[in-house]
Amino acid sequence: MLDTKLKNSHQSRAFGVLFSLLILAFISACIIASYPLLRKNTQLMMKNEKSKRETMLEEDKEKYKSYFIKTLLQSNYVLSWSNIEQNADSSVVPSQIFLTKDLQEISYSDDFYLEKEAFVDQFNNVMEEWYYRFYFITLKEYASFQYYLVDHKSGNTLTNTIKPLSLLQQDTAEAQKLRASYPFYIVFQYGEDGSLQILDYAGLDQAKIDEYKLMELNKTEIQDDLDNWHQYKDRVKPPSDVTIIYASNLEEFYLSDNMKGYLDPQYYFSEAGFLYAYSIAFVCVFLLAMLLPLKKSWKIGSGLAARIPMEISLAGIMVSIAFYGGMLPMAWETITGYFICNPEYTIIPRKLLNVLDYCVNYIAWMAVLVILYLCFLSIRQVFTLGLIRYLKEKTLTGRMLRWLIRKIKKLFRSLGEIDLSEPSNKYIMKVLAVNFVILLILCSIWFLGIAILIPYTILLFFIIKRYMDDIKKKYAILLKATSKIADGNLEGTIKEDLGVFNPLKDELTKVQRGFKIAVEEEIKSQRLKTDLITNVSHDLKTPLTAIITYINLLKEENISEEDRKSYIKTLDNKSQRLKRLIEDLFEVSKASSNNVTINLVEVDLVNLIQQVLLELDDKIVESEVEFRFHPPVDKVVLFLDSEKTYRIFENLIINITKYAMPHSRAYIDITREKDIVKIILKNVSISELEFNSEEISERFVRGDQARNTEGSGLGLAIVKSFVELQGGKFRIQTDGDLFKAMIQWKVINKDNDDPDKENLLGLKNEK
């Protein structure tokens, strides 16, 4: 039984939908069927309008002729100016042509100087307006308007036609034939004194000719355009010694198509009844949507239409009304020609194209009416649901307000938890109070805006409070980390995401890292200072003690001559060692304080190392170390200080003779890669290498920790300082007992603009 009722219900709804579609289809067919009648009415309206306009134009001919007479006067001045301007070597202004000399040559001593200057400026502006009006309006506004000018002094001509208009001033058979071809022409001739003669004319009566002469004589047109400068009208000169001819091969030469007006067929098609048909269709659909739902069993309006919000329904109605702008040209093109495409550009038969046009019209009308029908059905629910319920349930605004009210109620329940004693909350409330006053003033022009201000302000408070609490929490984390660093804890890190404070977190991490490096450097510096004091005191005290001891021995009277010589030799050795130690100390001190003079010259590195090896040959032989020098095939010429560079390799080679294993080999390799030269000195150490390779080149740091040798501990420090002062890099590397001293310099050409060269030269000058 239930299934039968449900089936009958579906059938009734389907019948209601089908019936609605049939009514809409019938309305669409009626509109299309009215096309021929609408076209007939359109043609009748256009015919009446055309007849009416022709009558009006006939009545206005005299007015247009008077207007044209003024145009001819302006054109004479413009053509005369154009003729002189085209044949002049420089630009010519109208005042130089048409004004008397007393106005062209005014000076500060003239009476009414400012007044005359203002008149000249306005006269030039008026002529420029005439110029623009003639070339850009007159020649387009007056159909087939032709002109011809001849200058009798220079023989120059000015024209816009290839026809011999000059014949119109002659009395020949050819001239008569030419006159017959022009319903309108007029021949002006200006004498040398500016006197005017109208030699011939056609298309105008004598009254218009007399009107023109009077206008020329009184300069009426010029006075009208020059406003209040009537006292200077007699100082305006007309064109002189020229003949100007105008002609037109149209009878109504003074009326263009623009003056006659354009009749828009689509406008009259709309006025002939298409707009009324459109409106009647809308009314019929509205009545259909209001009346069919009264048949309850059909359940019309309970399906798709019931789910459409009011805002969308209103928008659909507005769009359907706007469709009129597209339906009008479609209907007109369908009944007057072809809408889809021109049959000349397709192989489809004309009749079939016509049928397709009407089908497209029918589908378009059905689509518009169906949309309109659904929108009206949706709005009709206001009668069944009531206005309040309809606004709540069937409008987007009502749904949003209901959601907002629920949120507001939730917020009100949490208002009691707010602690207004907190400074941040007080500040927020002050800001929101000001914001509320501003919004109250802005929304006072709309009553509903005041009701929205209360929930808006409450919601804004909680959003800002949450944001500020988050900022306070992240700020506390940042402050805690800063306090740890201030207390000396450089190991802690911030792992939390600090949002807007992330840049500060990154900078704090950099500061932390910088502090650690600075502390390490300070510790290293303090240790080196301690070592420096200890080593300097030890290395200075040892030879000094020996010198004092042997001096005391020399004071004894009972020593032999052989002992005396031995003591003196020992004193000499100790004093020389003390001298070298002091000199090395001064060299390192000067290099550390950048108080060294660098004299840059071209140095052949291979020859320099060979020279050092040659001069230290006795020490090399004594050390029993075999040196192997591997220079490159090409010369290696660098821009260096030869004396400091010699000292570098002298110290390194002496260092090898002191600490290298006897009967072993030492290597000196020079390689070049593009603009980088590398020098590597390698040897096998006699003792185990237990030092730090990064600190070995510091002052008074020695590889021989037992201090059994006579070295000062300054040799590698001097090498490092001198290499870096010349823009190079020095590095020590160890591998087991293998000791490597590596030097790297950049090749600097003598004549180029290398920045490293400029740095070195600047260093030299600074010293």
Side-chain angles (χ1 to χ4, degrees):
M1 185 69 177
L2 185 61
D3 292 340
T4 303
K5 288 184 177 180
L6 187 60
K7 184 177 180 181
N8 292 334
S9 176
H10 287 317
Q11 289 178 350
S12 298
R13 176 177 291 180
F15 181 79
V17 172
L18 181 61
F19 183 79
S20 300
L21 291 175
L22 288 175
I23 297 296
L24 295 176
F26 176 74
I27 296 173
S28 301
C30 290
I31 295 174
I32 293 175
S34 67
Y35 282 3
L37 178 61
L38 296 178
R39 180 184 182 185
K40 184 177 179 181
N41 291 341
T42 301
Q43 292 173 343
L44 182 60
M45 290 181 67
M46 291 179 67
K47 183 178 179 181
N48 293 336
E49 181 65 22
K50 186 176 181 181
S51 176
K52 181 180 177 182
R53 290 193 180 189
E54 288 176 352
T55 302
M56 292 175 61
L57 289 174
E58 191 65 31
E59 294 174 354
D60 291 342
K61 270 189 178 181
E62 291 302 317
K63 181 179 69 175
Y64 288 130
K65 284 183 179 181
S66 297
Y67 177 79
F68 183 72
I69 290 297
K70 294 181 180 180
T71 300
L72 291 179
L73 186 143
Q74 296 176 8
S75 302
N76 287 344
Y77 280 84
V78 170
L79 289 175
S80 297
W81 175 22
S82 298
N83 172 58
I84 295 173
E85 189 177 37
Q86 287 184 7
N87 296 283
D89 294 334
S90 59
S91 60
V92 179
V93 294
S95 60
Q96 296 174 330
I97 303 172
F98 302 113
L99 296 183
T100 56
K101 288 186 178 181
D102 62 320
L103 290 177
Q104 296 180 25
E105 300 174 355
I106 56 175
S107 62
Y108 291 105
S109 60
D110 292 336
D111 295 334
F112 309 108
Y113 166 75
L114 295 176
E115 180 180 316
K116 291 179 180 180
E117 185 181 38
F119 168 73
V120 171
D121 290 341
Q122 187 172 355
F123 178 81
N124 287 328
N125 291 335
V126 168
M127 287 298 158
E128 288 176 0
E129 291 177 6
W130 287 9
Y131 183 93
Y132 176 83
R133 195 181 305 166
F134 175 75
Y135 283 105
F136 297 99
I137 298 177
T138 300
L139 294 181
K140 295 180 180 179
E141 188 175 280
Y142 297 106
S144 188
F145 187 72
Q146 302 170 9
Y147 64 83
Y148 172 83
L149 177 144
V150 58
D151 188 341
H152 297 301
K153 288 182 180 179
S154 62
N156 296 324
T157 59
L158 197 65
T159 184
N160 68 338
T161 179
I162 61 173
K163 293 185 178 181
L165 295 183
S166 59
L167 294 177
L168 293 176
Q169 56 184 328
Q170 300 177 9
D171 189 13
T172 61
E174 188 176 358
Q176 293 295 333
K177 184 178 180 181
L178 183 63
R179 289 189 182 93
S181 64
Y182 285 114
F184 161 77
Y185 66 86
I186 188 168
V187 181
F188 296 100
Q189 188 177 61
Y190 288 90
E192 293 183 3
D193 58 351
S195 59
L196 171 65
Q197 287 184 345
I198 299 178
L199 302 180
D200 196 6
Y201 62 89
L204 293 173
D205 55 19
Q206 185 61 41
K208 293 301 176 185
I209 298 299
D210 294 339
E211 182 181 343
Y212 179 86
K213 290 180 179 180
L214 185 62
M215 187 183 301
E216 178 78 39
L217 180 63
N218 295 327
K219 297 183 175 59
T220 307
E221 183 67 11
I222 295 176
Q223 289 188 64
D224 291 343
D225 285 348
L226 289 176
D227 298 332
N228 298 321
W229 302 102
H230 304 293
Q231 65 272 28
Y232 294 109
K233 71 180 183 65
D234 294 331
R235 303 189 188 186
V236 179
K237 300 184 296 183
S240 62
D241 207 13
V242 294
T243 297
I244 304 174
I245 303 173
Y246 301 103
S248 175
N249 54 17
L250 296 178
E251 184 176 357
E252 295 181 351
F253 56 90
Y254 45 81
L255 295 178
S256 67
D257 290 338
N258 291 332
M259 287 185 175
K260 294 176 182 178
Y262 171 70
L263 299 179
D264 185 5
Q266 291 189 21
Y267 168 77
Y268 290 99
F269 181 66
S270 176
E271 294 295 317
F274 187 78
L275 178 60
Y276 301 113
Y278 207 81
S279 302
I280 291 171
F282 269 47
V283 172
C284 291
V285 173
F286 175 77
L287 294 175
L288 190 67
M290 296 297 112
L291 297 177
L292 284 184
L294 296 176
K295 184 69 175 178
K296 302 295 184 182
S297 60
W298 289 354
K299 296 185 178 180
I300 294 176
S302 60
L304 176 63
R307 296 191 294 271
I308 301 176
M310 181 189 70
E311 292 86 352
I312 296 178
S313 298
L314 293 175
I317 294 172
M318 298 303 295
V319 169
S320 299
I321 295 173
F323 276 169
Y324 179 79
M327 303 293 285
L328 176 62
M330 180 183 68
W332 176 252
E333 291 176 11
T334 299
I335 62 174
T336 58
Y338 298 92
F339 173 67
I340 296 178
C341 65
N342 194 318
E344 296 180 1
Y345 304 110
T346 181
I347 60 173
I348 302 175
R350 293 176 179 269
K351 290 184 178 181
L352 182 57
L353 281 176
N354 208 344
V355 172
L356 291 175
D357 284 347
Y358 277 98
C359 289
V360 170
N361 274 254
Y362 190 79
I363 293 172
W365 277 110
M366 279 294 295
V368 172
L369 297 181
V370 167
I371 293 173
L372 194 62
Y373 180 63
L374 291 175
C375 293
F376 282 142
L377 284 178
S378 175
I379 294 176
R380 188 189 182 282
Q381 294 177 97
V382 70
F383 299 110
T384 57
L385 299 177
L387 180 61
I388 302 300
R389 184 181 173 189
Y390 177 78
L391 292 176
K392 287 182 179 179
E393 300 178 3
K394 300 300 180 181
T395 64
L396 296 176
T397 305
R399 295 173 186 174
M400 291 178 63
L401 287 175
R402 289 172 64 193
W403 174 84
L404 185 61
I405 290 171
R406 288 197 299 269
K407 292 294 182 181
I408 291 172
K409 289 180 178 179
K410 184 178 179 181
L411 291 175
F412 270 118
R413 286 194 295 269
S414 59
L415 281 176
E417 302 174 4
I418 301 175
D419 184 7
L420 294 177
S421 62
E422 294 183 10
S424 61
N425 290 341
K426 290 181 179 179
Y427 176 77
I428 293 172
M429 290 304 297
K430 289 180 181 179
V431 173
L432 291 179
V434 174
N435 182 57
F436 181 85
V437 172
I438 294 173
L439 292 178
L440 182 62
I441 295 172
L442 294 176
C443 296
S444 60
I445 58 176
W446 182 44
F447 181 76
L448 292 178
I450 300 175
I452 298 175
L453 279 176
I454 298 173
Y456 161 76
T457 305
I458 297 171
L459 182 63
L460 190 61
F461 168 78
F462 279 94
I463 292 174
I464 297 177
K465 182 180 183 301
R466 180 179 179 184
Y467 179 72
M468 290 193 67
D469 288 344
D470 183 60
I471 290 179
K472 287 170 63 179
K473 179 181 177 182
K474 293 173 180 177
Y475 175 74
I477 296 172
L478 190 65
L479 192 63
K480 183 179 179 181
T482 307
S483 300
K484 288 183 179 179
I485 294 175
D487 294 338
N489 183 3
L490 303 179
E491 300 299 329
T493 58
I494 304 174
K495 298 180 181 180
E496 296 87 349
D497 181 16
L498 298 185
V500 294
F501 294 117
N502 275 330
L504 290 177
K505 182 183 78 173
D506 297 338
E507 294 301 320
L508 192 63
T509 303
K510 292 179 183 178
V511 170
Q512 193 176 23
R513 187 161 52 246
F515 278 167
K516 290 175 68 176
I517 294 173
V519 170
E520 292 173 359
E521 290 292 333
E522 183 64 23
I523 293 172
K524 178 181 176 182
S525 176
Q526 291 297 331
R527 181 170 55 81
L528 289 176
K529 286 180 181 178
T530 303
D531 292 344
L532 173 63
I533 294 171
T534 303
N535 293 335
V536 167
S537 61
H538 180 274
D539 287 345
L540 291 177
K541 183 179 179 182
T542 300
L544 186 60
T545 302
I547 290 171
I548 294 171
T549 301
Y550 281 100
I551 288 175
N552 291 330
L553 290 174
L554 285 172
K555 290 179 180 179
E556 295 180 2
E557 296 180 355
N558 57 350
I559 61 173
S560 63
E561 186 65 27
E562 183 178 351
D563 290 338
R564 183 184 300 277
K565 291 180 179 180
S566 175
Y567 294 161
I568 292 173
K569 183 179 180 181
T570 303
L571 281 172
D572 182 62
N573 290 336
K574 298 298 181 181
S575 62
Q576 290 297 326
R577 181 183 177 190
L578 184 61
K579 177 185 176 183
R580 287 195 301 272
L581 179 62
I582 294 172
E583 288 177 348
D584 289 348
L585 184 61
F586 274 113
E587 287 287 349
V588 172
S589 176
K590 289 165 65 179
S592 300
S593 61
N594 288 334
N595 190 20
V596 179
T597 300
I598 302 296
N599 298 310
L600 299 177
V601 295
E602 290 185 350
V603 176
D604 186 341
L605 208 57
V606 176
N607 288 340
L608 182 69
I609 295 175
Q610 288 175 343
Q611 182 181 350
V612 175
L613 290 172
L614 183 62
E615 293 190 9
L616 297 177
D617 184 63
D618 55 341
K619 292 183 178 292
I620 294 173
V621 172
E622 184 180 350
S623 68
E624 298 181 347
V625 176
E626 183 179 353
F627 278 80
R628 297 290 178 87
F629 183 33
H630 298 146
V633 177
D634 299 329
K635 294 175 66 175
V636 180
V637 179
L638 300 178
F639 209 56
L640 301 170
D641 185 312
S642 59
E643 181 181 347
K644 302 295 184 295
T645 308
Y646 183 92
R647 182 70 182 276
I648 290 170
F649 291 107
E650 181 184 36
N651 285 6
L652 290 174
I653 292 173
I654 290 175
N655 194 67
I656 292 174
T657 60
K658 288 181 180 180
Y659 299 109
M661 180 180 290
H663 307 292
S664 63
R665 283 181 288 275
Y667 296 89
I668 304 176
D669 299 329
I670 301 178
T671 60
R672 179 168 179 172
E673 300 176 0
K674 295 182 179 180
D675 59 344
I676 299 296
V677 173
K678 293 182 179 179
I679 305 99
I680 302 176
L681 293 89
K682 297 180 288 187
N683 68 275
V684 178
S685 176
I686 192 172
S687 59
E688 185 178 356
L689 300 177
E690 298 177 343
F691 54 79
N692 186 339
S693 61
E694 294 182 358
E695 296 182 358
I696 190 63
S697 57
E698 300 293 341
R699 291 168 290 177
F700 287 98
V701 178
R702 295 167 58 174
D704 180 14
Q705 300 295 334
R707 310 186 69 83
N708 293 322
T709 63
E710 294 185 355
S712 65
L714 297 173
L716 293 180
I718 293 173
V719 169
K720 181 180 180 183
S721 298
F722 284 177
V723 169
E724 292 177 350
L725 282 172
Q726 299 182 87
K729 296 179 181 179
F730 178 70
R731 188 161 56 93
I732 298 297
Q733 190 177 49
T734 59
D735 187 2
D737 291 336
L738 180 64
F739 180 88
K740 287 185 182 181
M742 293 176 285
I743 300 173
Q744 178 178 306
W745 273 305
K746 184 177 180 181
V747 178
I748 304 174
N749 296 328
K750 183 177 181 180
D751 299 325
N752 70 357
D753 296 327
D754 196 302
D756 291 338
K757 174 184 173 183
E758 294 178 0
N759 292 337
L760 290 175
L761 292 176
L763 182 64
K764 173 185 174 183
N765 296 332
E766 185 179 318
K767 306 299 180 262

